[in-house]
């Protein structure tokens, strides 16, 4: 039977995953397809049963189902259990459906060469930050500080993942010169005004790397501000593409082209942004 893959979410029409996976499948001459499926909030269990019944070979999971899908799968990979969220489901040869999370590792791959001695500042302590912090820890990076609007949420992340320390946004701003890599993970990135900065960057270290996991707009207010200091900036497209590439390799056993895909999506989003 021809393989087919899907992405489930609500909303789903904005997702770039269908374009990305369809392009890779064609590039690699794989006879398979990938479709977006809009699932009603209260119909997740029925949707998962239908995907299994129809022999879906694997699917992506996006907002708001990354946590809620866990009870409906046959097994969950240890990392996804610790993160508490699944973004990828893989069908095994004995017809079991296993949940994985490729978001955090995807983000780290998008950073390019970094070393465990680097001091990392995460801004935000939500679901995406959780996946990224978990992946850093797994790769042996322990110099991690999590700054969040609600300090208690950063403390929960630190306690549950047993890594790093929690600080307020103000403390992060006042000690910014300590950090080599700064990662903006709040939805503030989606707003363009300067008031959308979670922290000011006056104390930014020379040669720091500044990332924002938001990719629409391609250049967020936070990245625009960082560019004034002539540091390396990275937007969220790399995370999207690298998590997709990891998922693609779980499903098809081969790693697709990531650089070409980032360029294709930049053009699709109407921009000329280059990570530098
Ligand atoms: P989430 O779980 O809702 O977490 C949001 C985080 O942002 C929380 O720490 C929250 O702080 C903080 N926050 C929200 N509004 C804020 C504000 N006005 N000022 C300061 N902090 C604020 O969201 P998520 O799932 O982590 O997603 C975050 C963003 O990442 C979204 O924009 C999403 O689109 C993007 N994302 C991108 C990719 C990619 O592939 N590039 C993947 C996943 C997510 P409190 O604890 O105080 O509420």
């Amino acid at each position: 039977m021809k393989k087919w893959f899907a992405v489930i979410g609500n909303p789903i029409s904005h997702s770039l995953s269908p374009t990305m996976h369809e392009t890779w499948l064609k590039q690699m001459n794989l006879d398979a397809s990938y479709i977006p499926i809009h699932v009603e909030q209260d119909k997740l269990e029925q949707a998962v049963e239908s995907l299994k019944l129809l022999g879906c070979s694997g699917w992506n999971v996006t907002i708001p189902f990354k946590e809620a899908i866990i009870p409906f799968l046959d097994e969950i990979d240890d990392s996804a259990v610790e993160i508490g969220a699944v973004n990828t489901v893989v069908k095994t040869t004995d017809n079991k459906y296993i949940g994985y999370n490729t978001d955090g590792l995807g983000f780290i791959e998008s950073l390019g060469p970094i070393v465990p001695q680097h001091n990392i500042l995460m801004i935000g302590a939500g679901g995406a930050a959780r996946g990224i912090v978990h992946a850093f820890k797994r790769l042996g990076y322990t110099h991690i500080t999590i700054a969040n609007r609600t300090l208690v949420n950063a403390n929960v992340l630190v306690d549950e993942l047993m890594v790093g320390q929690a600080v307020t946004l103000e403390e992060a701003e006042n000690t910014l010169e300590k950090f080599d890599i700064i990662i903006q993970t709040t939805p503030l990135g989606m707003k363009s005004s300067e008031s959308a900065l979670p922290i000011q960057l006056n104390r930014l270290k020379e040669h720091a790397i500044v990332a924002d996991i938001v990719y629409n707009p391609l250049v967020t207010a936070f990245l625009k501000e960082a560019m004034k200091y002539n540091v390396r900036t990275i937007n969220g497209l790399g995370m999207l593409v690298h998590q997709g590439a990891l998922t693609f390799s779980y499903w098809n056993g081969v790693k697709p082209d990531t650089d070409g895909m980032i360029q294709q999506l930049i053009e699709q989003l109407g921009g000329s942004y280059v990570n530098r």
Side-chain angles (χ1 to χ4, degrees):
M1 193 174 86
K2 180 176 162 167
K3 276 187 169 185
W4 65 281
F5 304 99
V7 54
I8 62 169
N10 183 346
I12 201 62
S13 57
H14 69 287
S15 173
L16 294 174
S17 294
T19 308
M20 184 162 75
H21 283 277
E22 282 282 353
T23 303
W24 281 333
L25 288 168
K26 273 201 199 92
Q27 281 173 352
M28 303 207 140
N29 288 322
L30 294 169
D31 185 22
S33 55
Y34 184 106
I35 54 168
I37 301 176
H38 178 99
V39 173
E40 293 304 333
Q41 300 268 357
D42 58 344
K43 295 281 186 291
L44 178 62
E45 184 172 6
Q46 291 94 321
V48 171
E49 287 313 311
S50 306
L51 286 162
K52 290 179 179 176
L53 207 63
L54 295 169
C56 185
S57 316
W59 64 89
N60 283 127
V61 186
T62 187
I63 288 171
F65 301 123
K66 287 185 181 186
E67 292 95 19
I69 195 163
I70 289 177
F72 307 128
L73 299 175
D74 299 313
E75 278 174 37
I76 308 294
D77 167 69
D78 287 347
S79 294
V81 169
E82 283 176 46
I83 297 165
V86 160
N87 78 329
T88 297
V89 178
V90 179
K91 182 185 177 190
T92 61
T93 45
D94 55 350
N95 294 328
K96 280 197 172 141
Y97 286 88
I98 319 246
Y100 294 88
N101 194 312
T102 64
D103 280 334
L105 283 177
F107 172 76
I108 294 174
E109 289 202 4
S110 81
L111 282 181
I114 53 170
V115 291
Q117 290 73 27
H118 276 143
N119 257 324
I120 299 162
L121 173 65
M122 300 290 304
I123 302 172
R130 193 182 186 85
I132 294 170
V133 171
H134 181 274
F136 271 126
K137 182 185 166 190
R138 209 173 129 192
L139 296 176
Y141 289 70
T142 51
H143 305 298
I144 302 174
T145 299
I146 301 162
N148 197 43
R149 177 179 63 178
T150 312
L151 184 60
V152 69
N153 293 343
N155 272 312
V156 166
L157 199 57
V158 166
D159 291 347
E160 286 186 8
L161 295 184
M162 290 188 293
V163 71
Q165 55 166 335
V167 298
T168 62
L169 292 173
E170 198 183 4
E171 283 172 299
E173 188 173 281
N174 290 334
T175 55
L176 200 62
E177 64 276 5
K178 283 198 322 202
F179 299 103
D180 305 294
I181 304 172
I182 294 142
I183 306 160
Q184 198 304 111
T185 72
T186 80
L188 268 182
M190 295 161 93
K191 300 194 177 142
S192 53
S193 75
E194 283 198 14
S195 61
L197 299 179
I199 61 170
Q200 296 300 322
L201 296 177
N202 316 26
R203 294 173 181 253
L204 196 59
K205 185 178 187 172
E206 211 185 338
H207 304 305
I209 299 173
V210 178
D212 195 323
I213 67 165
V214 169
Y215 55 80
N216 201 357
L218 287 167
V219 185
T220 63
F222 194 67
L223 291 190
K224 257 187 213 151
E225 187 62 19
M227 283 169 182
K228 292 183 188 163
Y229 297 88
N230 208 22
V231 294
R232 200 169 145 229
T233 56
I234 294 171
N235 74 3
L237 259 192
M239 175 174 178
L240 176 82
V241 170
H242 283 277
Q243 65 75 25
L246 283 170
T247 295
F248 190 93
S249 66
Y250 287 178
W251 288 337
N252 300 300
V254 278
K255 203 93 185 266
D257 165 37
T258 47
D259 288 349
M261 181 54 62
I262 290 172
Q263 281 317 312
Q264 179 182 319
L265 294 181
I266 286 172
E267 282 161 34
Q268 190 171 325
L269 292 171
S272 56
Y273 178 75
V274 182
N275 283 330
R276 63 196 184 106

